[in-house]
Amino acid sequence: MVQLKADVLVLGAGMVGVSAALHLQKLGRDVILVDRHERAGEETSYGNAGLIECASVFPYMFPRDFKQILQYALNRSPQVRYSISDLPDFLPWLVRYYFASSPQRALHSAMAELPLIQQSLVEHEALIDEAGVPELLRRTGWLKLFRSETSLAKAVREAERAGQYGVASEILDSKAIAAREPHLTGDFAGAVHLPAPGFIADPAALARAYAALFVRKGGRFVVADARSLTQEAGGWRVDRVAAREAVVALGPWSDLVYRPLGYAIPLGFKRGYHLHLKPGGNAVLNHPVLDSDLGFLLAPMNQGIRLTTGVEFARRDAAPSPIQIDRALPRARSLFPLGEAIEAKPWMGRRPCLPDMLPVIGRAPRHPGLWFDFGHQHHGLTLGPVTGRLLAEMMTGVTPFADPLPFAADRFG
C-alpha cells in the first residue's frame, strides 16, 4: 500500500541527488528524496578532495603517452593501479575509455561540460548561502606540486591552454611554494596555483546541510531501497512511496536500477581511498596540495589532514585494498608533518564514470517519467548543483541554461 505520494522521487541522497531535489523543489515540484541511509552524503559524496573545480576545463581522460600507458599496464604508476583478478570485468570499459579519449573526442567532452564547470561554483555559492553554512567554503584555491622540470613544463602548457577559457593560474617557484606552504618539505621544480576553485572543508557536512535545507523547505526524506523501483499506472514507486516521475541519482549504484529496465549504459568505476591524520606538532596546511608526480593529495579538512589516493580500477564491490594508501602514506609524511591516523582504517569510495567522462543527464528514452542524473566522474561535488539545475529545467519545461544533448542517455546507442 502506498503511504506517501509526490510529484517526483529522487533516488540517492549524495551531492548529485540532493542538489537535483533542491532545484526541482525550487521550480515548484513536490519532491521525496530516497536513500538507503538515514543521512545524506554517506557514500561517494563523503570522500573526495573537497574541491569545487570551476577551473577544471578538461576532463580526466585516458593518457595517450606510450610511456605513461606502459607504466599503467605494468602497475607501476603512483596515480593509477588495477586489480589483475578484476581485469576481465573492467577491461571492456577501459577500451571504450581509451577510444573516447582521442584528442578530438576529449575536446568535444570538454566543450560540452564547459558551461557546467563555469557555473559550478556560482550554483554552490547560492545553495551555501541559503543553507546558512558559509564556514564550509574556503577561498584558498589549490596547489599542484611538480618534482621534475618535465612534469612542470607539461603543467604550464596545460595551464596556458586552460587560460584560453578564462581559467586563472599562477606558476610558483620553490621560494613561492615555501611562502604559501612553509611546512612542506621536498625538492620541487615548481607548482601551479589555481586560485578560483572553492574548497569545502567537510564535503559530507555540505551534503547534509543541503538535505536539511530541502527538508526545511517542505521536502521529505525517506529511507528506502531504490532497487525496488517499479513502474505502475500513473508513475513510479519505491516501497510505499510513489510519484509521477523518478530521478535515478545513485552514482555508482545507478546500474542496479537502470539495467533491470533494459538500459545498457556503460557505467564504470574509479575507486579511491582516503585517510585522515592529525597534523604533526603545530604544522598548518593552507591549501589542498596535490603531489602530482607521486600521485596523492593532502587536504586540510575539519576532520584532520585528508590523504587521498589516485585511481584504482577494480570491481565496484570488490574488497578494499590497502596498497595505494600504504604506498602514499610514507611519501605524504615526507611532504608534510603528519601525526597519527584518526580512523582505524582507510575509507574507500567509487567514482561513477562514463567512457567520455560526461554524466548522463536527462530523460530515460523508453520509460515515460523516468530521468537520469549520474556518472559525474571525478566531479560529483563540483557538478552536483549545476547538473541539478539543468535536470530540473528539463523536467519542468524551463529553457535549459546549457545544451543538454551531449549528456543524453541514448548517446551510447
Side-chain angles (χ1 to χ4, degrees), residues 264-281:
I265 301 168
L267 185 66
F269 316 102
K270 295 183 181 181
R271 307 201 319 176
Y273 300 81
H274 81 227
L275 182 69
H276 291 110
L277 301 109
K278 295 179 180 179

Side-chain angles (χ1 to χ4, degrees), residues 50-341:
L51 293 166
I52 301 174
E53 257 293 41
C54 58
S56 186
V57 171
F58 302 103
Y60 293 94
M61 308 305 290
F62 199 99
R64 315 305 281 184
D65 179 79
F66 175 75
K67 290 183 179 179
Q68 193 174 4
I69 294 174
L70 181 61
Q71 193 179 33
Y72 287 177
L74 296 174
N75 237 354
R76 294 178 180 173
S77 169
Q79 291 87 4
V80 176
R81 75 169 298 273
Y82 65 91
S83 168
I84 295 176
S85 62
D86 292 341
L87 188 60
D89 292 278
F90 64 79
L91 184 58
W93 183 89
L94 209 59
V95 171
R96 296 185 71 159
Y97 182 27
Y98 174 81
F99 284 110
S101 299
S102 68
Q104 182 178 3
R105 296 179 68 181
L107 182 61
H108 174 268
S109 290
M111 294 302 98
E113 196 171 72
L114 182 61
L116 309 187
I117 289 291
Q118 291 175 327
Q119 187 69 15
S120 60
L121 183 55
V122 174
E123 296 296 335
H124 267 291
E125 287 172 330
L127 290 181
I128 287 171
D129 181 64
E130 193 174 2
V133 287
E135 69 280 0
L136 290 179
L137 176 61
R138 301 179 187 173
R139 304 285 184 168
T140 60
W142 64 301
L143 295 179
K144 296 181 179 181
L145 300 176
F146 300 93
R147 295 176 179 268
S148 76
E149 294 292 345
T150 300
S151 60
L152 175 62
K154 180 181 178 183
V156 170
R157 291 194 297 271
E158 291 174 351
E160 292 172 347
R161 185 185 182 202
Q164 299 173 13
Y165 300 94
V167 176
S169 61
E170 183 182 3
I171 309 303
L172 308 180
D173 60 18
S174 57
K175 290 183 179 180
I177 294 170
R180 306 288 177 92
E181 292 290 354
H183 291 103
L184 296 182
T185 57
D187 295 325
F188 307 113
V192 176
H193 177 223
L194 297 164
F199 171 58
I200 301 299
D202 189 338
L206 185 65
R208 292 195 292 268
Y210 287 176
L213 172 64
F214 167 74
V215 172
R216 287 200 304 272
K217 294 175 67 176
R220 289 168 285 174
F221 189 117
V222 173
V223 177
D225 187 347
R227 293 175 298 178
S228 68
L229 181 70
T230 54
Q231 188 176 23
E232 57 183 23
W236 296 87
R237 179 168 60 85
V238 171
D239 293 342
R240 297 183 178 182
V241 183
R244 295 195 307 272
E245 297 178 288
V247 176
V248 179
L250 294 164
W253 294 278
S254 296
D255 62 329
L256 300 180
V257 171
Y258 69 70
R259 286 192 187 280
L261 295 173
Y263 295 96
I265 301 168
L267 185 66
F269 316 102
K270 295 183 181 181
R271 307 201 319 176
Y273 300 81
H274 81 227
L275 182 69
H276 291 110
L277 301 109
K278 295 179 180 179
N282 295 320
V284 174
L285 189 66
N286 298 310
H287 310 73
V289 173
L290 173 68
D291 193 322
S292 301
D293 296 304
L294 297 184
F296 66 87
L297 182 144
L298 295 177
M301 296 290 180
N302 289 347
Q303 301 99 314
I305 303 298
R306 179 177 288 185
L307 167 63
T308 74
T309 69
V311 168
E312 179 187 54
F313 288 105
R315 287 181 294 111
R316 177 188 56 208
D317 300 320
S321 165
I323 293 175
Q324 284 180 300
I325 285 286
D326 289 348
R327 289 177 178 173
L329 188 53
R331 296 167 178 168
R333 291 189 185 280
S334 68
L335 175 66
F336 181 83
L338 292 170
E340 63 185 23

